[in-house]
């Protein structure tokens, strides 16, 4: 009886942890997409800097 309760608690903790990981992953992806759409970052999430030098 006690082992079943402990297994349930362990499974619940693991499930909550995986749900939190999935939620935070989706938040990070949506933030990356928002930066890309705003034009402040490129496809690889590197900031786009204005270059005023003409040394090309």
């Amino acid at each position: 009886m006690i082992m079943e309760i402990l297994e349930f608690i362990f499974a619940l903790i693991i499930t909550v942890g995986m749900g939190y990981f999935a939620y935070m992953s989706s938040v990070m992806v949506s933030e990356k997409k928002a930066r890309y759409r705003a034009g402040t970052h490129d496809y690889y999430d590197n900031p786009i800097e204005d270059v005023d030098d003409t040394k090309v």
Side-chain angles (χ1 to χ4, degrees):
M1 177 75 179
I2 192 80
M3 282 303 290
E4 291 176 1
I5 294 172
L6 290 176
E7 288 174 2
F8 176 76
I9 291 172
F10 181 70
L12 186 64
I13 291 171
I14 294 293
T15 303
V16 168
M18 290 187 318
Y20 179 74
F21 181 80
Y23 171 72
M24 291 308 293
S25 175
S26 108
V27 167
M28 289 171 55
V29 168
S30 65
E31 288 175 352
K32 178 182 175 184
K33 285 182 180 179
R35 286 191 301 267
Y36 179 68
R37 281 190 215 117
T40 59
H41 289 71
D42 64 1
Y43 179 78
Y44 298 106
D45 206 26
N46 298 320
I48 298 173
E49 299 175 2
D50 291 333
V51 179
D52 292 337
D53 293 334
T54 57
K55 289 194 259 181
V56 179

